[in-house]
């Protein structure tokens, strides 16, 4: 049987009476609990602070850390400053008739920075120097700085150094998309003697290859650098200039090789296009 309303009222009055008579008691213990919580918070804070001071008890270290710059300017400078070119050891090749080819391999390690212009010259023998030459280097490009068919009445025995200066860097965000598709790899053909109808004909050594312009640009001038290797060592560098190379067109090149070049077992061909020339491409 459910309790009557009068019994509910009696219980509520008893509870209210108890709360009213024990109000001070309840307030006292609630205050104590609040102080305990606050005290516990302070204990934890000072304990953590003490651990921090114990771990870093050297004020010199703390002061040094406080003085550290917010930005690492060295890292920022490295990210926004181009890396310098990487040079191999220069080489000289005697080609006969008091002429020499002076060559050094160069690599640009930058992803976006290109050299719009750079000057260089070779120093040889007793600090004699060649003329100053200017060229360009694209990002991530490996190529050769050359002085070909250099005439010297004095025998050049060694190259002392390569001087590079007048750097003009340019950051390329969206460089022209160049594409060269090798349709026939470079092949070295040694010198041959052909006999036809009792008559001998000497065919000089040569290098031939075929390539297609796979870009959408008509290239006005492309310089092909041909590196010849024998036994894993550089045996010579040739250059051939091709004019007016339309897009998607294919060409076959063949250039003769001097008798001064020794044994050749490997050939590497690389195109050089000066994209900084405003007329490097053209419309049909």
């Amino acid at each position: 049987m459910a309790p009557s309303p009068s019994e509910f009222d009696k219980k509520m009055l008893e509870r209210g009476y108890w709360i009213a008579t024990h109000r001070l008691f309840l307030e006292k213990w609630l205050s104590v609990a609040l102080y305990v919580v606050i005290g516990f918070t302070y204990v934890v804070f000072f304990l953590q602070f003490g651990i921090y001071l114990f771990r870093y008890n050297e004020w010199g270290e703390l002061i040094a850390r406080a003085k550290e710059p917010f930005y690492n300017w060295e890292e920022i400078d490295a990210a926004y400053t181009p890396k310098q070119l990487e040079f191999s050891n220069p080489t000289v090749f005697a080609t006969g008739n008091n002429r020499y080819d002076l060559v050094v391999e160069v690599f640009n390690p930058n992803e976006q920075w290109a050299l719009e212009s750079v000057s260089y010259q070779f120093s040889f023998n007793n600090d004699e120097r060649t003329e100053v030459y200017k060229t360009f280097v694209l990002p991530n490009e490996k190529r050769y700085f050359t002085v070909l068919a250099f005439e010297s009445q004095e025998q050049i025995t060694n190259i002392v150094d390569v001087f590079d200066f007048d750097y003009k860097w340019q950051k390329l965000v969206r460089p022209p998309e160049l594409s060269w598709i090798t349709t026939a790899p470079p092949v070295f053909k040694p010198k041959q003697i052909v006999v036809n109808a009792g008559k001998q004909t000497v065919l000089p050594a040569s290098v031939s290859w075929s390539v297609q312009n796979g870009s959408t640009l008509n290239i006005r001038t492309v310089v092909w650098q041909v590196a010849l290797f024998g036994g894993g060592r550089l045996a010579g560098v040739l250059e051939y200039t091709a004019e007016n190379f339309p897009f998607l067109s294919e060409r076959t090149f063949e250039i003769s090789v001097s008798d001064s070049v020794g044994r050749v077992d490997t050939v590497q061909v690389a195109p050089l296009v000066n994209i900084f020339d405003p007329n490097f491409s053209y419309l049909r």
Side-chain angles (χ1 to χ4, degrees), residues 121-141:
Q121 66 178 164
F122 289 86
S123 171
F124 58 93
N125 292 354
N126 297 321
D127 200 26
E128 297 182 61
R129 300 190 182 188
T130 64
E131 298 178 10
V132 175
Y133 294 84
K134 285 188 177 183
T135 188
F136 62 93
V137 187
L138 300 183
N140 278 327
E141 185 174 57

Side-chain angles (χ1 to χ4, degrees), residues 45-59 62 65:
F45 171 77
F46 284 109
L47 181 63
Q48 294 294 331
F49 185 70
I51 294 174
Y52 176 80
L53 291 180
F54 178 77
R55 185 176 298 175
Y56 301 100
N57 55 0
E58 295 293 336
W59 284 104
L62 293 175
R65 288 176 174 271

Side-chain angles (χ1 to χ4, degrees), residues 188-250:
F188 174 77
K189 301 176 183 178
K191 183 171 65 173
Q192 303 179 47
I193 298 178
V194 179
V195 179
N196 186 10
K199 183 179 180 180
Q200 291 186 349
T201 302
V202 178
L203 300 180
S206 64
V207 173
S208 62
W209 73 98
S210 298
V211 65
Q212 181 185 34
N213 180 3
S215 71
T216 58
L217 299 172
N218 300 313
I219 306 301
R220 188 176 302 278
T221 302
V222 53
V223 177
W224 297 93
Q225 283 194 336
V226 181
L228 309 175
F229 295 88
R233 301 183 62 180
L234 185 65
V237 174
L238 310 174
E239 291 184 349
Y240 180 80
T241 301
E243 303 285 350
N244 301 330
F245 206 143
F247 72 93
L248 299 182
S249 64
E250 181 179 353

Side-chain angles (χ1 to χ4, degrees), residues 66-79:
K67 289 184 177 180
E68 288 182 356
F70 185 73
Y71 297 104
N72 190 329
W73 294 110
E74 292 184 358
E75 293 182 358
I76 295 175
D77 182 68

Side-chain angles (χ1 to χ4, degrees), residues 83-277:
K83 301 176 184 178
Q84 295 301 309
L85 297 179
E86 299 175 3
F87 287 80
S88 66
N89 294 324
T91 308
V92 58
F93 301 102
T95 59
N97 298 324
N98 297 326
R99 295 187 180 275
Y100 300 86
D101 290 344
L102 288 69
V103 177
V104 63
E105 188 179 52
V106 180
F107 175 64
N108 180 6
N110 297 284
E111 296 289 338
Q112 291 184 315
W113 288 99
L115 271 170
E116 179 179 349
S117 175
V118 57
S119 300
Y120 68 93
Q121 66 178 164
F122 289 86
S123 171
F124 58 93
N125 292 354
N126 297 321
D127 200 26
E128 297 182 61
R129 300 190 182 188
T130 64
E131 298 178 10
V132 175
Y133 294 84
K134 285 188 177 183
T135 188
F136 62 93
V137 187
L138 300 183
N140 278 327
E141 185 174 57
K142 181 181 289 187
R143 54 162 299 180
Y144 294 93
F145 285 0
T146 62
V147 177
L148 303 181
F150 178 73
E151 186 173 1
S152 174
Q153 299 302 322
E154 181 181 355
Q155 182 181 3
I156 300 178
T157 56
N158 68 304
I159 299 177
V160 177
D161 203 354
V162 180
F163 297 95
D164 52 305
F165 47 92
D166 291 343
Y167 277 51
K168 187 177 180 181
W169 291 100
Q170 182 173 329
K171 192 171 186 178
L172 301 180
V173 180
R174 297 183 61 183
E177 295 185 3
L178 303 176
S179 175
W180 302 98
I181 303 171
T182 301
T183 55
V187 176
F188 174 77
K189 301 176 183 178
K191 183 171 65 173
Q192 303 179 47
I193 298 178
V194 179
V195 179
N196 186 10
K199 183 179 180 180
Q200 291 186 349
T201 302
V202 178
L203 300 180
S206 64
V207 173
S208 62
W209 73 98
S210 298
V211 65
Q212 181 185 34
N213 180 3
S215 71
T216 58
L217 299 172
N218 300 313
I219 306 301
R220 188 176 302 278
T221 302
V222 53
V223 177
W224 297 93
Q225 283 194 336
V226 181
L228 309 175
F229 295 88
R233 301 183 62 180
L234 185 65
V237 174
L238 310 174
E239 291 184 349
Y240 180 80
T241 301
E243 303 285 350
N244 301 330
F245 206 143
F247 72 93
L248 299 182
S249 64
E250 181 179 353
R251 289 186 182 177
T252 298
F253 302 101
E254 184 171 5
I255 57 176
S256 60
V257 178
S258 172
D259 292 337
S260 61
V261 177
R263 183 175 64 91
V264 175
D265 51 38
T266 306
V267 181
Q268 295 179 358
V269 178
L272 303 178
V273 179
N274 186 4
I275 64 174
F276 303 105
D277 182 354

